């Protein structure tokens, strides 16, 4: 079994998308080509970190610590707090932007200058917004890690704010074009950050926010319920187990178009020229056999149906051929519709008795003397009997 490095959100997502790409990145440590939009995101995050860092009032209450807490009022009561001294001017912020800028990964000078202008505009607008609604961050770009019920996880969190209610709000900046409320509600990234903050801070998490910088819109979601976090823990567990078992199968899909490792991937590797002719013949033969198989399958089905119609008309079940006897058999199965069953069971508080709607499950309920007979009758009536006919061949040599 392989050792598993702590999983970040992006490592987890990469493995889910394609385990082989995960191996190229996290085991073989192959570099990826830089991309302009990633560079852009990194630069903006870095300037925002510099901008907001002076506002940070660190939480005195880290999980597991028992020192006396310093309150927010106490911080502000001291003249010359870091926030008062070092809050950046607009010019300082733009200077930081110029200093941090990188042209790595842009496909042209025109693309780079478009992104550069966009970044400047985003930062200026966000600065204005911050001046009007100054947040109370307790951390920026904080690296947190924990073992979540056996799974090592970590992440860099853009910002953790204190809320007026005394809890914490996790903020993740997004420079992407489109973002919706559903993204905030369903983001596994925010769920993982909630777990990291809950394990590392003593204060409760009161909110999760994706901050859409292009529209200055905070997309807010409530903290996840325990059941939702359990779902993420299961998914992380599957990734963790896969990595431990060194299960690194390629999983092709649309994401391959932005994968830098196609020349190493068996899904895209070309057959060596010396083997080309032999394998081409094998593929042609396979294709011909598959076509024949499909043709035989549909001919078999048509013949069985014709035999069945004739047997029905004549009322016979055994039909003799030259060498074999075709015997008609029937198979019966009861089927119950969950759509009809659910309302009945819910109103009687018996939903848990029939979770999958399998005939066995429903029949157990129908035969249960402890269940109201009227309900049992209604449940039984939701079923329909399905009859399936099929043919078997028997040796005909013993029949005259
Ligand atoms: S090309 Fe596709 S299948 Fe191959 S490693 Fe990359 S993402 Fe995976």
């Amino acid at each position: 079994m392989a050792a598993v490095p702590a999983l970040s959100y992006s490592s987890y997502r990469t493995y889910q998308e394609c385990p082989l790409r995960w191996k190229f990145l996290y085991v073989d440590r192959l570099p990826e080509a830089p991309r302009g939009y990633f560079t852009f995101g990194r630069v903006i995050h870095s300037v925002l970190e510099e901008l907001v860092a002076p506002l940070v009032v660190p939480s005195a209450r880290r999980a597991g610590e028992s020192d006396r807490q310093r309150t927010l009022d106490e911080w502000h009561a001291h003249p010359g707090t870091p926030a008062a001294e070092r809050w950046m001017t607009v010019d300082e912020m733009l200077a930081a932007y110029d200093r941090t800028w990188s042209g790595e990964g842009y496909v042209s000078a025109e693309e780079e200058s478009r992104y550069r202008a966009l970044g400047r505009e985003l930062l200026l607008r966000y600065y204005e917004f911050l001046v009007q609604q100054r947040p109370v961050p307790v951390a920026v770009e904080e690296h947190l890690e924990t073992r979540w019920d056996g799974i090592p996880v970590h992440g860099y969190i853009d910002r953790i704010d204190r809320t007026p209610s005394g809890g914490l709000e996790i903020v993740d900046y997004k420079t992407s074009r489109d973002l919706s409320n559903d993204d905030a509600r369903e983001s596994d990234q925010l769920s993982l950050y909630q777990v990291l903050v809950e394990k590392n801070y003593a204060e409760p998490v009161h909110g999760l926010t994706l901050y859409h910088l292009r529209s200055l819109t905070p997309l807010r979601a409530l903290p996840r319920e325990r059941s939702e976090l359990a779902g993420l823990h299961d998914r992380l567990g599957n990734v963790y187990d896969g990595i431990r078992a060194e299960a690194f199968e390629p999983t092709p899909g649309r994401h391959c178009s932005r994968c830098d490792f196609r020349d190493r991937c068996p899904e895209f590797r070309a057959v060596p020229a010396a083997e080309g002719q032999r394998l081409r013949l094998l593929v042609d033969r396979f294709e011909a056999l598959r076509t024949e198989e499909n043709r035989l399958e549909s001919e078999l089905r048509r013949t069985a149906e014709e035999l069945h119609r004739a047997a029905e008309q004549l009322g016979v079940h055994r039909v003799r051929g030259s060498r074999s006897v075709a015997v008609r058999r029937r198979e019966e199965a009861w089927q119950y519709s969950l759509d009809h069953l659910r309302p009945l069971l819910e109103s009687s508080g018996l939903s848990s008795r029939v979770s999958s709607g399998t005939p066995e499950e429903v029949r157990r309920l129908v035969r249960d003397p402890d269940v109201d007979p009227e309900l049992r009758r209604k449940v039984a009536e939701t079923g329909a009997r399905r009859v399936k006919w099929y043919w078997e061949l028997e040796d005909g040599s013993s029949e005259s």
Side-chain angles (χ1 to χ4, degrees), residues 38-72:
F38 285 143
T39 308
F40 177 70
R42 259 198 318 276
V43 169
I44 297 292
H45 275 70
S46 170
V47 177
L48 290 179
E49 180 185 357
E50 265 195 71
L51 176 65
V52 180
L55 300 179
V56 168
V57 180
S59 167
R61 292 207 295 147
R62 301 299 297 243
E65 289 179 356
S66 57
D67 291 350
R68 182 188 164 274
Q69 327 280 300
R70 181 145 47 149
T71 67
L72 193 54

Side-chain angles (χ1 to χ4, degrees), residues 34-41 97 101-120 177 214:
R35 287 176 171 76
Y37 48 85
F38 285 143
T39 308
F40 177 70
Y97 183 49
W101 184 259
S102 162
E104 222 180 35
Y106 294 101
V107 294
S108 64
E110 186 277 324
E111 186 188 58
E112 183 186 342
S113 87
R114 196 158 31 85
Y115 267 97
R116 194 159 184 164
L118 172 68
R120 192 182 153 89
R177 199 174 292 276
R214 293 191 190 218

Side-chain angles (χ1 to χ4, degrees), residues 287-328:
E287 185 198 5
L289 287 170
R290 176 54 57 79
T291 308
E292 180 67 359
E293 182 188 26
N294 290 341
R295 189 189 66 73
L296 284 174
E297 257 178 27
S298 72
E299 197 177 323
L300 186 66
R301 198 173 50 248
R302 277 200 308 275
T303 307
E305 284 166 3
E306 198 178 328
L307 203 50
H308 175 71
R309 280 195 297 277
E312 281 280 281
Q313 263 179 8
L314 299 170
V316 296
H317 279 205
R318 297 173 71 82
V319 183
R320 200 180 157 72
S322 307
R323 288 174 297 278
S324 309
V325 177
V327 184
R328 197 161 65 122

